[in-house]
């Protein structure tokens, strides 16, 4: 990668590319001027300054090429996933015709069966299948894609593992998801963000100011009875303009997109990442983001005349054949709290009674020893078990009614367990908050970000989970219209909003949000509405995206501070050197005690080039992120990179001056 970046550094010397970066374009012009002057004045100083000015330009190009190189390597890997397969396109008469995948157009319908590649991006309109999306997400576990709902989108280049589906193509040739990924990671579609453009304008303005100041030095020197060569003036200009940040600005932006991609998130623009860094309101779905998404058994509450182990045994028996997450969690809870080991229903001679929407309960019928009677164990909704018990001649205890009401008011789901006519107790199911979420929300709060949980639950349940998770606000019983209205209210108040979504009903809100992260497993409408796509379909990744965005802004701010600060030290090196012969009293400004004016100029030019190389790793890796407020980050940058930007050049220029003296070039 580094070898390729070195080659690209020379390719980028093309002025048609360089003019997009005004600062480095001016350095290239200066390098060209000093090179042409070598034809007239073939001095060692002239040669050295020309060499180091070209080195400055090449180092800047190398930093950008190195950042781009990561994306090109990923693009090469993505290209390997593209196959010009033969698609089975459906004809108007219901038949099939083989056509190359590259000839498929939007609206075409194709048939894909087991072990066949999906020929293009589309939507499943018929059937259900298991699909391997490892080529896109890197995740080897297959996913289910089916017609209808929010899990119908498929991506070209992925493989159907089972069954048969009919896919309607939703993209034109060259506009598939993989094609867009390749262009984005290569940087071909990367546009400068508004902040980058603003900083470019500022740097260009500073450059023009120093250019005018440098041009006036020549007549001023002649008026003062001295003279300053054009080569020295060019060196002065290059050292005074903000070359450090000018050289690294593009690399910082590209590296930010690369860091997002390393988290398996495809950002459609640098603007989206930058906006993530400025976000101050985060909208998060409850299910699957803040909570595990599946209700878990957390407590067994026996009736007043029932032993806890008896309840645990009955709850376990009723759940042995229950393959739902809730059923499995009941078996686990019985084992953890009472040491009950799992048993096989076949060995017990039992018959499992599955849950139905009509009965709203499930359980097991077990034979009894030396009796034709059958033990009927059931678990289910309170009113369903109430009816079951009464039908068998029993009563529903008041303490169980109270337990059911308590659990429901706390936002949980009560499942009542009974055996024939006797109620044994209640299982407390709750949507469990993911581990570490409270700490993560505290980190966001320290960053000045307010979190809002969105859920379709009733307000009481929503508030309970919100308190447990530690979110700042909650929107209960939310509809798509409610989400959109909330985002617009926050934006009207001057906030930047980020949210995640995967369904067609999320598309309006994703499009309205400043940062909209669509799940790759979601619908095509959601992916087109958002400005980022999470290839892993993990809603919690929005938090990492925000942190990466803030790291990008911190890195740019830190290096800008360092660049402007280190110019101060270069003033003390070059300004005295220029006019020392005419104004000997300027020796007082030579605080670094540089050996000669020639050494001072050359040392500053060399440092100006080498500091770019030294900062390339920091530009690519990013400043270490810490969840601090804006004021603390500013103070930290001023102390570390502002003061450091003054001290480091003083030490660096003095060290180079000593080396030049030792080798006889001072």
């Amino acid at each position: 990668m580094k070898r390729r970046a070195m080659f690209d550094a020379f390719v980028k010397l093309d002025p048609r590319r360089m003019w997009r970066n005004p600062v480095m374009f001016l350095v290239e012009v200066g390098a060209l001027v000093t090179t042409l002057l070598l034809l007239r004045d073939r001095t060692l100083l002239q040669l050295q300054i020309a060499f180091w000015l070209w080195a400055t330009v090449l180092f800047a190009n190398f930093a950008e090429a190195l950042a781009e190189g990561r994306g090109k390597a990923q693009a090469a890997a993505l290209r390997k996933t593209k196959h010009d397969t033969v698609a089975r396109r459906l004809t108007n008469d219901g038949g099939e015709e083989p056509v190359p995948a590259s000839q498929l157009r939007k609206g075409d319908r194709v048939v894909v069966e087991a072990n066949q590649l999906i020929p293009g991006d589309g939507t499943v309109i018929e059937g259900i299948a298991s699909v391997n999306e490892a080529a896109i997400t890197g995740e080897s576990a297959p996913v289910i894609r089916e017609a209808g709902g929010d899990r119908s989108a498929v991506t070209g280049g992925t493989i159907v593992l089972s069954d048969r589906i009919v896919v309607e193509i939703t993209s034109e040739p060259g506009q598939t998801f993989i094609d867009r990924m390749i262009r984005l990671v290569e940087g071909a579609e990367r546009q400068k963000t508004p902040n980058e453009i603003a900083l470019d304008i500022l740097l260009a303005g500073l450059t023009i100011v120093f250019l005018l100041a440098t041009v006036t030095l020549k007549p001023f020197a002649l008026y003062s009875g001295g003279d300053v060569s054009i080569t020295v003036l060019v060196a002065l200009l290059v050292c005074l303009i903000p070359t450090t940040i000018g050289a690294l600005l593009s690399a910082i932006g590209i590296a930010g997109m690369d860091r997002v991609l390393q988290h398996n998130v495809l950002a459609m623009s640098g603007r989206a990442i930058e906006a993530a860094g400025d976000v101050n309101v985060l909208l998060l779905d409850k299910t699957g983001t803040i909570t595990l998404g599946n209700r878990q058994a957390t407590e067994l509450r026996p009736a007043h005349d029932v032993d806890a182990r008896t309840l645990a045994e009955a709850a376990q028996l009723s759940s042995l054949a229950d393959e739902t997450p809730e059923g499995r969690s009941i078996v686990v809870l019985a084992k953890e709290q009472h040491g009950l080991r799992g048993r096989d229903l076949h060995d017990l001679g039992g018959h499992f009674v599955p849950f139905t929407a009509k009965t709203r309960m499930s359980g097991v019928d077990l034979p009894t020893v030396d009796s034709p009677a059958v033990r009927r164990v059931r678990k289910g909704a309170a009113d369903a078990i109430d009816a079951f018990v009464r039908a068998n001649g029993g009563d529903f205890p008041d303490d169980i009614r109270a337990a059911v009401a308590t659990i429901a008011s706390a936002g949980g789901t009560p499942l009542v367990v009974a055996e024939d006519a006797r109620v044994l107790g209640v299982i407390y199911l709750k949507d469990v908050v993911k581990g570490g979420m409270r700490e993560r929300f505290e980190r966001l709060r320290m960053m000045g970000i307010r979190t809002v949980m969105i859920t379709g639950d009733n307000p009481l349940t929503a508030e309970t989970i919100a308190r447990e998770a530690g979110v700042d606000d909650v929107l209960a019983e939310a509809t798509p219209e409610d989400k959109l209205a909330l985002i617009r209210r926050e934006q009207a108040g001057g906030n930047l909003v980020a949210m995640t979504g995967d369904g067609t009903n999320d598309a309006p809100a994703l499009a309205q949000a400043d940062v909209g992260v669509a799940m790759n497993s979601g619908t095509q409408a959601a992916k087109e509405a958002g400005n980022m796509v999470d290839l892993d379909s993990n809603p919690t990744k929005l938090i990492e995206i925000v942190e990466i965005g803030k790291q990008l802004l911190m890195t740019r701010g830190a290096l800008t501070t360092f660049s402007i600060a280190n110019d101060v030290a270069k003033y003390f090196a070059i300004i005295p050197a220029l006019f020392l012969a005419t104004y000997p009293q300027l020796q007082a400004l030579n605080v670094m005690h540089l050996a000669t004016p020639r050494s001072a100029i050359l040392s500053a030019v060399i440092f100006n080039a080498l500091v770019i190389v030294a900062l390339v790793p920091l530009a690519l890796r990013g400043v270490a992120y810490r969840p601090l407020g804006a004021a603390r980050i500013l103070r930290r940058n001023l102390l570390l990179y502002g003061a450091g930007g003054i001290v480091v050049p003083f030490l660096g220029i003095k060290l180079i001056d000593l080396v030049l003296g030792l080798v006889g070039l001072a």
Side-chain angles (χ1 to χ4, degrees), residues 266-590:
L266 180 64
M268 300 304 177
S269 68
R271 181 194 298 261
I273 303 172
E274 202 168 79
D278 286 327
V279 158
N280 44 25
V281 176
L282 214 56
L283 305 186
L284 298 164
D285 274 327
K286 183 204 75 172
T287 306
T289 304
I290 295 174
T291 64
L292 293 175
N294 296 314
R295 294 171 302 172
Q296 305 285 306
T298 58
E299 186 182 350
L300 298 174
R301 297 186 180 180
H304 73 280
D305 59 345
V306 176
D307 178 70
R309 186 177 179 85
T310 301
L311 171 61
E313 184 179 25
Q316 184 208 52
L317 288 171
S318 67
S319 304
L320 286 175
D322 187 349
E323 291 301 322
T324 65
E326 293 89 345
R328 290 195 294 269
S329 72
I330 292 170
V331 175
V332 170
L333 183 65
K335 179 180 178 181
E336 289 179 346
Q337 292 191 354
H338 299 279
L340 297 175
R341 301 182 62 83
R343 289 168 285 180
D344 193 292
L345 277 181
H346 179 73
D347 295 337
L348 294 172
H351 169 68
F352 179 65
V353 179
F355 174 88
T356 67
K358 183 177 181 180
T359 64
R360 294 191 299 133
M361 59 183 177
S362 62
V364 63
D365 291 341
L366 295 170
T368 56
V369 181
D370 300 326
S371 173
V374 175
R375 290 176 61 196
R376 293 179 296 174
V377 182
R378 298 289 186 270
K379 71 173 189 295
D383 56 345
I385 296 297
D386 187 359
F388 172 79
V389 170
R390 291 185 186 280
N392 286 280
D395 292 316
F396 201 89
D398 290 337
D399 63 320
I400 295 299
R401 291 189 190 280
V404 167
T406 301
I407 292 171
S409 65
T413 301
L415 285 183
V416 180
V417 180
E419 181 176 337
D420 296 319
R422 186 187 185 196
V423 176
L424 302 178
V426 184
I427 304 170
Y428 186 173
L429 293 179
K430 63 183 297 187
D431 201 353
V432 179
V433 173
K434 291 181 177 178
M437 291 306 295
R438 177 174 285 276
E439 291 74 17
R440 298 185 80 174
F441 289 142
E442 182 60 35
R443 282 173 58 116
L444 291 170
R445 203 169 291 113
M446 291 172 64
M447 294 154 48
I449 296 175
R450 183 165 59 89
T451 52
V452 181
M453 184 183 80
I454 300 176
T455 177
D457 290 341
N458 63 72
L460 185 61
T461 300
E463 288 290 348
T464 301
I465 295 176
R467 284 195 301 272
E468 185 178 348
V471 296
D472 299 309
D473 206 349
V474 61
L475 178 65
E477 298 178 341
T479 65
E481 293 76 16
D482 292 334
K483 295 179 186 179
L484 187 59
L486 175 61
I487 292 173
R488 286 174 174 168
R489 285 198 303 272
E490 294 291 350
Q491 290 173 332
N495 296 318
L496 266 69
V497 181
M499 75 161 287
T500 62
D502 62 357
T504 300
N505 61 350
D506 290 323
L510 287 171
Q512 181 68 37
D514 300 284
V515 179
V517 184
M519 302 296 101
N520 189 46
S521 61
T523 62
Q524 190 69 24
K527 289 192 281 189
E528 290 178 357
N531 49 24
M532 292 189 189
V533 177
D534 177 18
L535 301 180
D536 294 331
S537 300
N538 176 10
T540 62
K541 203 177 291 182
L542 180 58
I543 298 173
E544 278 80 13
I545 292 171
V546 169
E547 292 181 349
I548 292 171
K550 287 195 173 292
Q551 185 186 34
L552 170 65
L553 297 179
M554 288 171 60
T555 302
R556 185 186 297 151
L559 292 183
T560 300
T561 303
F562 182 90
S563 176
I564 294 174
N566 74 29
D567 286 339
V568 175
K570 289 181 283 188
Y571 300 159
F572 282 93
I574 288 191
I575 298 297
L578 285 177
F579 300 103
L580 195 58
T582 308
Y583 299 102
Q585 57 268 35
L586 287 178
Q587 181 63 35
L589 295 178
N590 185 19

Side-chain angles (χ1 to χ4, degrees), residues 195-252:
N195 283 347
E196 276 186 284
I197 294 172
L199 188 53
D200 270 337
I201 293 172
L202 173 62
L203 297 181
L206 291 174
T207 300
I208 291 172
V209 169
F210 287 121
L211 177 61
L212 294 175
T214 304
V215 169
T216 60
L217 283 177
K218 181 75 172 178
F220 176 76
L222 292 172
Y223 175 79
S224 302
D227 193 13
V228 179
S229 70
I230 294 177
T231 298
V232 171
L233 287 176
V234 170
L236 171 66
L237 174 63
V238 170
C239 288
L240 294 187
I241 62 177
T243 51
T244 305
I245 186 60
L248 298 174
L249 186 59
S250 181
I252 294 169

Side-chain angles (χ1 to χ4, degrees), residues 244 558-559 561-573 592 594 603-604 606-615 618 637-657:
T244 305
L559 292 183
T561 303
F562 182 90
S563 176
I564 294 174
N566 74 29
D567 286 339
V568 175
K570 289 181 283 188
Y571 300 159
F572 282 93
M592 286 181 275
L594 302 178
S603 297
I606 293 173
F607 175 82
N608 196 61
L610 295 181
V611 74
I612 294 173
V613 180
L615 292 175
L618 182 61
N637 280 353
L638 289 176
L639 179 63
L640 183 59
Y641 296 99
I646 294 175
V647 173
V648 170
F650 273 90
L651 298 176
I653 291 173
K654 179 59 179 177
L655 180 61
I656 294 171
D657 173 70

Side-chain angles (χ1 to χ4, degrees), residues 91-114:
T91 59
N92 293 332
D93 59 4
E96 297 180 11
E97 61 177 353
V99 296
S102 57
Q103 293 182 14
L104 291 175
R105 295 291 185 271
K106 188 175 181 178
D108 287 344
R109 297 185 175 190
V110 297
V111 176
V112 192
E113 294 184 338

